[in-house]
Amino acid sequence: RTARLVGLHSRQVATGPTLPAGLAARLDATRLDPRDGVHLRIFKEEELVEVWIADGEIYRLFDSLPICRFSGGLGPKLREGDGQSPEGFFTVEAAALNPNSAHFLSFDLGFPHAGDRAKGRSGSLLMVHGGCLSVGCYAMTDAGIAQIYPLVQASIRAGHPVPVHAFPFRMTPERLEAARASPWIDEWRKLAEGWARFERTHRPPEVSFCGTETVFERRPGCSEASGRQI
């Protein structure tokens, strides 16, 4: 009973109207405010999630948290049940937040996005969540998701949906060259374009899906990750 009460209290703290005290103190020390916008970058090979927070016109790195477990290997998710965690450019909005998750806390990445659906890809409930068990998700441990979830929630509550970019690895030219024989190299080169834009500007690029093509602008007639037409 005591353990259940502690878990409930932690969930209430993490999802409450104000940020948990320890997290708020760290933000104060860096003068960053998640209500200005949050951006997450996931790296499979490095088993890492980077948390970036807007600071004026750019985003600054606030934290890097280890992934406890993800499913499958490097490469995109293709279909329901393939045991693969997705890669790509996603946007997390309010409907994706699950404060009552069986995995403590979670948010849905929104796979398949419009571009994935155009490629015939399928899947559901692909999340970032607590614990250390993954069936296509990114499991961060309860302690890890307790750091990420309140920041994502604060950004969304302030009117800033959270771009989440999931990469197979850090998309440097050298790492791409080493992967040139992969069947996914063309897809990874497109991911690398988005990665490089952020590296140059420290601002998440605009992403639209025009059928199976990913473009880095808001192009009329194409779709956002949610499927909404632009």
Side-chain angles (χ1 to χ4, degrees):
R1 176 176 171 81
T2 300
R4 288 199 298 270
L5 288 174
V6 170
L8 176 62
H9 174 70
S10 298
R11 192 192 301 265
Q12 290 172 338
V13 169
T15 62
T18 60
L19 291 167
L23 188 57
R26 291 178 58 210
L27 289 162
D28 286 344
T30 59
R31 299 185 179 180
L32 293 172
D33 189 337
R35 293 173 297 183
D36 294 331
V38 169
H39 171 43
L40 304 181
R41 299 204 300 175
I42 297 171
F43 297 99
K44 284 182 174 178
E45 188 169 72
E46 290 78 7
E47 299 183 347
L48 200 67
V49 173
E50 291 182 346
V51 182
W52 295 74
I53 298 177
D55 181 18
E57 293 300 312
I58 65 169
Y59 282 65
R60 287 171 51 194
L61 181 63
F62 173 68
D63 207 351
S64 296
L65 295 162
I67 297 170
C68 186
R69 185 168 297 175
F70 67 88
S71 298
L74 304 185
K77 183 174 184 64
L78 302 180
R79 59 190 173 275
E80 184 89 47
D82 66 1
Q84 189 76 0
S85 295
E87 297 171 3
F89 303 108
F90 304 96
T91 302
V92 175
E93 301 186 85
L97 298 175
N98 185 2
N100 300 308
S101 172
H103 298 284
F104 179 43
L105 300 166
S106 68
F107 53 87
D108 197 316
L109 287 173
F111 178 92
H113 57 49
D116 290 317
R117 290 194 297 274
K119 295 174 183 176
R121 296 177 179 177
S122 63
S124 59
L125 302 177
L126 281 304
M127 301 184 181
V128 178
H129 61 62
C132 196
L133 176 65
S134 170
V135 184
C137 300
Y138 292 98
M140 300 300 301
T141 75
D142 288 359
I145 199 66
Q147 297 295 307
I148 295 173
Y149 188 96
L151 299 172
V152 170
Q153 177 179 254
S155 180
I156 291 171
R157 284 176 172 173
H160 303 293
V162 174
V164 181
H165 295 175
F167 300 106
F169 41 75
R170 294 195 183 276
M171 313 297 287
T172 64
E174 296 79 13
R175 184 63 184 86
L176 277 176
E177 175 62 20
R180 66 187 182 278
S182 169
W184 306 117
I185 188 61
D186 289 340
E187 192 155 330
W188 286 348
R189 285 177 176 141
K190 179 58 70 170
L191 292 181
E193 186 178 344
W195 178 85
R197 285 171 181 261
F198 182 81
E199 289 292 298
R200 289 194 301 269
T201 66
H202 279 190
R203 291 192 61 81
E206 296 278 7
V207 179
S208 301
F209 301 99
C210 307
T212 60
E213 182 186 9
T214 301
V215 298
F216 297 101
E217 61 180 351
R218 288 185 59 80
R219 184 177 294 180
C222 296
S223 299
E224 299 175 345
S226 66
R228 285 191 295 265
Q229 289 295 115
I230 297 172

